[in-house]
Amino acid sequence: MLLTLGGPPGSGTSTLANLLKDLLNLHYEYAGAVFRRMAKEKKMTLEDFGEYATKHPEIDQELDAKMIAFARKEGHHLLEGRMVGPLVHREQIKALKIWLDASVTTRAKRLIIRDKFTYDEAIQKMTRRDDCDRKRYMELYGIDPAVSDCYDLKLNSDNLLPEQLAEIITSYINKNL
């Protein structure tokens, strides 16, 4: 079984992924962690590295190739990343593709807690990152992951706990896979 989980920063994908990997006994790979390590190696902030990646498409291509390689492995996997679902779809790899979203307000509140931003900083950083990522993905693949029709399940985490989202997903799996 292969699951992909994508969503914008602050939507709850990492929290949900950690629940699902344990609940469903899945091997877990997170594209965002790799991207953050790459930024750290270059001694850049995540936002600055995203801008840098806009001018260096080989960064996204290398990261995405790694995620596709994980998707092709035998076994039970959960791959988290905004582009994983659309890329797996494009490569015709069988997977349950999930998109998790949340309102801008909810996402900002979560980033305030996680990253210790003020509300205004969270909104500014989210907007900048969303715009930068969307531009990169559109230029590289012609895909805006937030509007892709490839997802099997689109959920909103504004009013649901991670455990409730996990229950919706496991119920979907039990009914459809």
Side-chain angles (χ1 to χ4, degrees):
M1 173 173 51
L2 174 63
L3 269 66
T4 72
L5 179 60
S11 63
T13 56
S14 295
T15 301
L16 181 56
N18 281 300
L19 273 174
L20 289 172
K21 75 176 175 70
D22 293 336
L23 187 64
L24 300 172
N25 195 28
L26 302 170
H27 182 264
Y28 172 57
E29 296 293 339
Y30 176 39
V34 176
F35 195 80
R36 282 176 173 83
R37 279 194 301 272
M38 294 166 77
K40 191 173 184 176
E41 288 170 7
K42 294 260 187 206
K43 295 180 175 49
M44 299 174 89
T45 66
L46 188 59
E47 294 83 11
D48 290 341
F49 190 64
E51 293 288 337
Y52 177 82
T54 302
K55 296 172 182 71
H56 296 89
E58 67 276 6
I59 291 170
D60 283 316
Q61 291 166 335
E62 178 183 338
L63 174 60
D64 296 338
K66 287 179 182 180
M67 297 306 284
I68 292 298
F70 287 127
R72 293 188 191 282
K73 283 186 176 180
E74 291 292 322
H76 301 287
H77 301 279
L78 170 58
L79 304 180
E80 180 188 353
R82 276 199 257 186
M83 280 305 298
V84 178
L87 291 175
V88 163
H89 178 75
R90 187 184 72 181
E91 295 291 320
Q92 299 181 351
I93 299 169
K94 185 178 176 183
L96 171 59
K97 297 169 292 300
I98 304 163
W99 181 258
L100 186 62
D101 207 350
S103 68
V104 170
T105 302
T106 297
R107 293 171 53 209
K109 288 177 182 177
R110 291 174 181 164
L111 293 178
I112 290 167
I113 294 166
R114 184 184 79 191
D115 297 328
K116 311 295 186 244
F117 295 140
T118 66
Y119 184 80
D120 289 339
E121 287 172 330
I123 294 292
Q124 178 186 16
K125 288 183 182 293
M126 260 187 344
T127 302
R128 183 177 172 202
R129 184 169 170 202
D130 286 346
D131 292 346
C132 177
D133 289 352
R134 185 173 296 107
K135 179 181 176 187
R136 288 189 355 253
Y137 303 146
M138 288 300 293
E139 286 177 4
L140 270 174
Y141 305 112
I143 297 170
D144 180 345
V147 297
S148 177
D149 62 356
C150 76
Y151 298 103
D152 302 297
L153 195 54
K154 290 184 179 183
L155 301 171
N156 185 291
S157 65
D158 281 338
N159 299 308
L160 295 172
L161 295 171
E163 295 80 8
Q164 293 171 307
L165 293 163
E167 176 59 33
I168 292 167
I169 293 166
T170 55
S171 292
Y172 184 91
I173 290 169
N174 290 333
K175 290 177 185 172
N176 296 289
L177 301 180

